[in-house]
Amino acid sequence: MNRMLLSLLMVVTTLTGAFAQSAETLSTLRGRILEADTHSPVAYSTVALYRDSTLLNATGTAEDGRFRIEAVRHGRYTLSVTMVGYNTLRQEIEVSSQNMDLGDLHLSQGIEVKDVVIKVQKPIVTATAEKIAYSVEDDPQAEGSTLQDIIRKVPQLSIDGEGNVLLNGKSNFKVLLNGHPSAAFNNNLKDIIQSMPASQISRIEVIANPSTKYDAEGTGGVINIITQKNKQDFGINGSLSQTVMLSDNPVNEYGSASLAMQAEKVAVSTQGWWGNGGYNINHASWKDRPSLEERYESMESKMKSLWDNAGFNVYMSYQPDTLNLLTFETMYWNGGGKNDMHSLTVMENAQHQPLRRFESPSWGKFDHQGATFTLNYEHNLGKAGHTLTLSEQYEINPTDNISIEQYSGSYNYTKHQTTDTRYHANSFQADYTNPLGEHHSIEAGLKHIYRYNSSPMRSQIFDANDLPLPDSPFSLMKYRQHILALYTGYGWQFTHWSGRLGARMERTWNNARAEDNDHAPYSFKNRQFDFIPYINLTYTPEPSHILTLSYTQRLQRPGINELSPAVTETPTDIYYGNPHLEACTEHSFLFNYSHFANKWSINLSANYSLSDNVSLFYKTLNDAGKTVTTIDNRARYRSVTLSGNLSFRPSEKFNFSYNLSGGYSCTEHTAAGISIGQWLTTQSLNADIAMWKECRFITTFVLFPYGANGNMSLDSKSTHYNTMYTFTLQQKLLKKIFTLTLSVDKLFSKESVFESRFVNPEYSGWEKTVIPDTRMFRIGLTYHFGKQGVGVKRTRRSIVNDDIKSAPQQQGGGIL
């Protein structure tokens, strides 16, 4: 009875207090938190309201640095603003009006004690409702490392045994550079990250479930790589670095240079990079094909590969006044490589008696280059965030491939083949954003893309006497595509709950013309309409805790390699594409939880995706015993991926992080009788320790599978895991003007071994890849000059083209 009376009294007291509070005037506080030096927004800082040392209310700032505290009684308070890496700001305020705008409040970096600056560690990993960001510039390992080294540490990203980057275990994602599409990164990602220094990168953003403002293509999501930008109002600065990697393989080296200048309303920034190297690979496979007379097929090969690439980008901005901003961006890249391979193939009957045996030395050379030009204009319509952005982009990307294959033994002929792919695209985009009030916002936009692709393939076959044979293979495909897209979105944000609803509509017109040896010139066309919804719900119980649930659809449009009907044939294989492919639709559900504290952070995510019309290559055996590889839309795919990141940074002298990603995927093709299910996991552990003055010791350990290259497979599954580990010593010299980096990779390993087994109803077997001499020593030196912090402004929106399927080979020719 006493407990009931006490409970009733508490309820009455609460209601009475609530009524009394509603009877008096309450205020709403607003403001914006900016960096003192750069005047850029400080996102996710904590804004707290105190009275007599008692905490009354607290909130966190949004991405634009703005905050809002509701239901504040009139009176005097102490406002406190805190953020890791900044001095705490305390300000006495008098609340006397119903709506009070505190304006811009400025935070300064570091904690100054006399002449010494004690730098508090900034969080390396942060998260919002839409994306996870990894701050490369705050990672001590960035200097002296490549972009590949850093990507291994980013939550939800991994690198497989073949050097391919994966997002939640998938390779079909799109790469943006500073928010813009980049053919260089999408087509040659594996090569570029081996040579591009991490010191040129500011942060890496991972968007697993992109909203409707992004193009719908890329079932894996979007990776946005943000390059370094400087931050002073006037000045010049730059850097120059070179790293050499020594091993029994060909010497690998890479370097970079950067320069930034700013004077009043004009700013220019440029970065360049270059690299070259090589590797050796030994490969073996064995197949058991019980339905054929040539039952057993075994193949051994040795390959030596050399590669090189270089590129630069330039960013320019002009801001005549506070309402208008004009930016121009351009990027140029080129690269290539050479392959020298020798293989031996043996066919045996059921009694293991040799029926055919042939050797095949081959040589290959590829060259690629390209450029993009982007012009953006942003106009502010009178209030913060109310903007109209117009963007125009032109892109060109030619690629040339030459190969020579020579056969001896059971076959005696030589084949010369050239493929010259030409690609150009033009895009126009308009984006409109409007924060309707403190709680609501809308966005809308339209986009048009025109693309042209041509891929002529010419072959010449010579007999044993080097005489050319008639009717050598020839094929040509010209492909034109128009895409018109409209999108709209609505967002809301309150103290603890926020969300976003959106929809995107895309109409696609495809027209192609093809010809080859076996067919007269013919053309085909198709039309497609796609409606892509987006739902995001976020709950923030406290500023340091974020829970997000989202759903969207993603598209996977086929590229020219998948559409081309051109037939490539060898003594053992036949390969051709399918001009009737349709875009694959994938449903994606994502749950994410993030918690950030001053000394540690954790991020956990779960992703479920499914599709019933996946376009996948699959293999069958024909009557002649050759393996036929082609593609259609009849595969089904289901995937569950769990990933987590733990970061612990108790002080500037030590920080530790651990990434874990794993899950189960099932891919089946009923018509071909193929079904493959597989559990896979990738782990990485990183530690960074301060040794003595301006010296750090850094170590990285990675466990990853082979064969899990993110391209959903209907042929094989991984049976072997491999490890990669690195020890690094980094010393800053002469007042941090120079940085010397010494490191060793796989010190106690002589080779890397990758194994997988075939899962096909028509044959079984295994394949094994060995990369010898993987132990590698690195020495690098970086020189910094000028005044740090010159900055190029960027528009809030720009063109993002993520709508072409990335073929497996398009990440480049490099290897771990």
Side-chain angles (χ1 to χ4, degrees):
M1 180 65 68
N2 291 335
R3 291 183 179 178
M4 293 179 62
L5 291 174
L6 180 60
S7 300
L8 181 60
L9 179 61
M10 292 176 62
V11 171
V12 172
T13 303
T14 302
L15 293 175
T16 302
F19 178 79
Q21 181 174 330
S22 64
E24 63 178 307
T25 302
L26 300 178
S27 297
T28 299
L29 298 180
R30 304 178 187 84
R32 184 171 62 162
I33 308 301
L34 305 176
E35 282 193 355
D37 295 332
T38 67
H39 303 289
S40 59
V42 181
Y44 317 116
S45 57
T46 301
V47 182
L49 200 63
Y50 291 87
R51 173 178 281 173
D52 299 329
S53 301
T54 300
L55 176 63
L56 302 178
N57 204 341
T59 187
T61 57
E63 287 190 357
D64 59 0
R66 297 185 182 278
F67 68 89
R68 170 191 175 99
I69 300 178
E70 298 178 325
V72 180
R73 296 171 180 160
H74 290 184
R76 294 190 61 82
Y77 298 90
T78 299
L79 187 77
S80 172
V81 183
T82 58
M83 177 64 180
V84 176
Y86 295 85
N87 294 317
T88 298
L89 171 67
R90 290 184 176 85
Q91 181 173 316
E92 299 295 325
I93 62 173
E94 176 76 27
V95 179
S96 57
S97 59
Q98 187 172 358
N99 291 292
M100 186 171 180
D101 191 345
L102 300 177
D104 294 338
L105 305 176
H106 296 88
L107 288 181
S108 58
Q109 294 192 21
I111 302 174
E112 296 187 7
V113 181
K114 295 183 179 179
D115 295 330
V116 180
V117 176
I118 304 173
K119 289 186 177 179
V120 182
Q121 294 289 330
K122 290 184 180 180
I124 288 184
V125 180
T126 57
T128 67
E130 186 178 53
K131 62 192 175 187
I132 295 174
Y134 186 93
S135 179
V136 180
E137 62 186 357
D138 291 315
D139 187 338
Q141 190 181 353
E143 288 210 48
S145 298
T146 64
L147 184 55
Q148 183 186 68
D149 300 324
I150 299 300
I151 285 177
R152 300 182 191 276
K153 304 165 67 174
V154 179
Q156 299 184 354
L157 298 186
S158 60
I159 298 178
D160 71 359
E162 297 175 317
N164 299 301
V165 178
L166 310 179
L167 197 168
N168 283 329
K170 300 177 183 178
S171 66
N172 186 34
F173 54 82
K174 294 302 168 185
V175 181
L176 311 180
L177 185 66
N178 298 311
H180 310 313
S182 169
F185 277 81
N186 280 295
N187 296 339
N188 311 287
L189 179 61
K190 187 163 61 175
D191 287 341
I192 290 177
I193 65 174
Q194 290 184 101
S195 58
M196 189 172 190
S199 57
Q200 289 195 353
I201 307 302
S202 173
R203 68 183 184 275
I204 300 173
E205 299 176 345
V206 180
I207 310 171
N209 258 18
S211 65
T212 52
K213 68 183 179 183
Y214 298 95
D215 290 345
E217 175 62 27
T219 56
V222 173
I223 299 174
N224 188 17
I225 298 174
I226 310 297
T227 56
Q228 285 279 7
K229 59 180 180 179
N230 303 304
K231 303 175 181 177
Q232 297 291 342
D233 294 329
F234 178 85
I236 180 172
N237 71 48
S239 66
L240 181 66
S241 69
Q242 183 70 27
T243 299
V244 178
M245 308 167 70
L246 305 174
S247 71
D248 292 334
N249 282 307
V251 173
N252 288 250
E253 58 181 340
Y254 56 88
S256 69
S258 66
L259 182 67
M261 298 173 287
Q262 180 163 329
E264 298 181 349
K265 299 178 181 180
V266 179
V268 180
S269 174
T270 181
Q271 295 91 27
W273 68 90
W274 56 88
N276 60 78
Y279 50 86
N280 300 315
I281 296 179
N282 300 328
H283 182 80
S285 65
W286 180 85
K287 292 181 180 179
D288 179 6
R289 309 174 300 175
S291 63
L292 301 179
E293 180 183 359
E294 294 178 333
R295 176 168 180 171
Y296 303 111
E297 175 188 306
S298 62
M299 191 273 289
E300 295 180 356
S301 67
K302 293 184 178 181
M303 184 179 73
K304 180 178 180 179
S305 181
L306 300 174
W307 60 270
D308 66 86
N309 64 71
F312 69 88
N313 49 55
V314 179
Y315 303 93
M316 294 182 286
S317 69
Y318 172 64
Q319 189 171 25
D321 51 53
T322 58
L323 298 180
N324 297 282
L325 173 63
L326 186 67
T327 68
F328 174 74
E329 307 178 15
T330 184
M331 180 177 180
Y332 171 79
W333 66 93
N334 68 66
K338 299 178 180 180
N339 296 321
D340 185 350
M341 186 173 72
H342 188 279
S343 63
L344 171 64
T345 304
V346 178
M347 304 290 190
E348 299 177 333
N349 60 18
Q351 290 74 41
H352 293 283
Q353 296 172 331
L355 301 180
R356 279 191 298 162
R357 182 182 187 276
F358 59 91
E359 296 185 44
S360 176
S362 63
W363 303 266
K365 179 183 178 182
F366 64 92
D367 296 289
H368 57 80
Q369 60 180 322
T372 60
F373 306 90
T374 306
L375 183 66
N376 302 299
Y377 169 69
E378 179 181 280
H379 177 66
N380 186 284
L381 297 172
K383 62 179 178 180
H386 191 191
T387 61
L388 173 66
T389 305
L390 304 177
S391 303
E392 178 77 18
Q393 182 181 78
Y394 179 75
E395 182 176 359
I396 184 170
N397 182 28
T399 303
D400 300 323
N401 291 274
I402 301 174
S403 65
I404 301 175
E405 300 173 0
Q406 188 176 47
Y407 295 91
S408 62
S410 300
Y411 301 92
N412 284 283
Y413 69 89
T414 302
K415 179 180 180 181
H416 293 210
Q417 180 171 301
T418 61
T419 304
D420 304 322
T421 302
R422 296 295 179 263
Y423 169 84
H424 68 258
N426 181 257
S427 303
F428 171 79
Q429 181 168 323
D431 298 283
Y432 172 77
T433 62
N434 186 359
L436 299 177
E438 298 179 18
H439 297 294
H440 307 277
S441 64
I442 59 172
E443 62 181 3
L446 62 87
K447 182 175 185 178
H448 175 261
I449 306 173
Y450 167 73
R451 289 192 177 94
Y452 172 79
N453 245 316
S454 69
S455 182
M457 186 273 289
R458 300 174 179 85
S459 298
Q460 180 63 64
I461 298 177
F462 301 85
D463 63 17
N465 298 316
D466 288 333
L467 298 176
L469 299 179
D471 300 325
S472 293
F474 166 80
S475 68
L476 171 63
M477 184 172 185
K478 295 182 179 180
Y479 184 69
R480 290 178 171 85
Q481 182 181 72
H482 288 269
I483 301 174
L484 180 62
L486 300 173
Y487 79 87
T488 183
Y490 163 69
W492 70 93
Q493 181 173 357
F494 294 92
T495 304
H496 297 298
W497 290 94
S498 62
R500 182 171 294 276
L501 297 174
R504 188 180 185 93
M505 293 159 285
E506 295 188 356
R507 176 69 169 177
T508 306
W509 294 266
N510 296 315
N511 296 276
R513 180 177 176 83
E515 59 182 290
D516 55 48
N517 295 70
D518 301 324
H519 304 88
Y522 62 96
S523 61
F524 59 90
K525 61 180 63 177
N526 62 61
R527 306 290 182 264
Q528 183 166 332
F529 176 79
D530 297 288
F531 177 82
I532 300 98
Y534 178 79
I535 303 173
N536 178 290
L537 184 63
T538 300
Y539 175 58
T540 309
E542 297 178 13
S544 60
H545 296 266
I546 304 174
L547 294 94
T548 301
L549 180 65
S550 64
Y551 163 76
T552 191
Q553 293 179 9
R554 305 295 294 164
L555 299 180
Q556 178 181 309
R557 290 191 182 94
I560 193 168
N561 292 328
E562 291 75 31
L563 291 167
S564 175
V567 177
T568 301
E569 187 170 0
T570 71
T572 59
D573 294 273
I574 298 175
Y575 172 97
Y576 56 90
N578 182 350
H580 305 293
L581 288 176
E582 298 178 352
C584 157
T585 301
E586 179 176 295
H587 303 267
S588 178
F589 301 84
L590 178 68
F591 171 78
N592 192 85
Y593 167 73
S594 300
H595 171 64
F596 302 97
N598 287 340
K599 295 184 178 181
W600 68 281
S601 66
I602 187 171
N603 181 272
L604 303 173
S605 67
N607 176 255
Y608 175 66
S609 57
L610 68 154
S611 176
D612 291 327
N613 68 331
V614 181
S615 56
L616 286 181
F617 285 99
Y618 64 97
K619 298 180 179 182
T620 58
L621 297 176
N622 66 8
D623 295 336
K626 291 190 176 184
T627 301
V628 180
T629 302
T630 188
I631 187 172
D632 61 28
N633 281 104
R634 295 183 292 176
R636 299 176 70 248
Y637 176 73
R638 303 289 187 272
S639 172
V640 177
T641 303
L642 304 175
S643 62
N645 167 264
L646 174 64
S647 179
F648 178 56
R649 311 185 80 193
S651 69
E652 190 186 23
K653 293 186 176 181
F654 175 78
N655 55 73
F656 164 89
S657 66
Y658 175 71
N659 288 333
L660 173 65
S661 178
Y664 177 79
S665 63
C666 180
T667 309
E668 59 182 31
H669 194 294
T670 305
I674 302 173
S675 179
I676 298 179
Q678 184 166 224
W679 292 91
L680 291 171
T681 182
T682 301
Q683 303 178 60
S684 68
L685 184 151
N686 309 275
D688 172 19
I689 305 170
M691 303 297 291
W692 50 80
K693 185 177 181 180
E694 304 299 346
C695 179
R696 307 193 74 90
F697 173 74
I698 304 165
T699 182
T700 301
F701 176 86
V702 182
L703 175 71
F704 56 89
Y706 175 71
N709 62 5
N711 301 297
M712 294 173 279
S713 174
L714 287 172
D715 186 60
S716 63
K717 61 192 300 184
S718 175
T719 59
H720 184 85
Y721 281 79
N722 199 19
T723 58
M724 192 286 297
Y725 49 91
T726 301
F727 303 104
T728 301
L729 197 65
Q730 186 182 94
Q731 177 70 61
K732 294 185 182 296
L733 305 168
L734 300 179
K735 298 182 179 180
K736 302 181 182 181
I737 295 178
F738 292 95
T739 301
L740 176 66
T741 302
L742 304 173
S743 67
V744 57
D745 298 345
K746 307 196 74 167
L747 178 62
F748 307 108
S749 303
K750 294 184 178 181
E751 61 185 21
S752 295
V753 179
F754 309 99
E755 297 176 350
S756 61
R757 64 182 178 88
F758 298 116
V759 185
N760 191 294
E762 298 192 55
Y763 57 85
S764 60
W766 53 265
E767 60 180 344
K768 180 179 180 180
T769 300
V770 178
I771 306 177
D773 309 318
T774 54
R775 184 187 297 118
M776 184 176 295
F777 299 89
R778 294 193 244 186
I779 179 170
L781 184 66
T782 301
Y783 167 61
H784 300 275
F785 63 89
K787 183 179 180 180
Q788 300 302 308
V790 180
V792 178
K793 295 181 180 293
R794 305 189 190 278
T795 55
R796 295 168 60 90
R797 297 291 177 90
S798 183
I799 289 178
V800 177
N801 288 339
D802 350 352
D803 64 322
I804 293 295
K805 176 182 177 182
S806 296
Q809 66 269 26
Q810 286 186 324
Q811 286 203 33
I815 272 288
L816 273 173

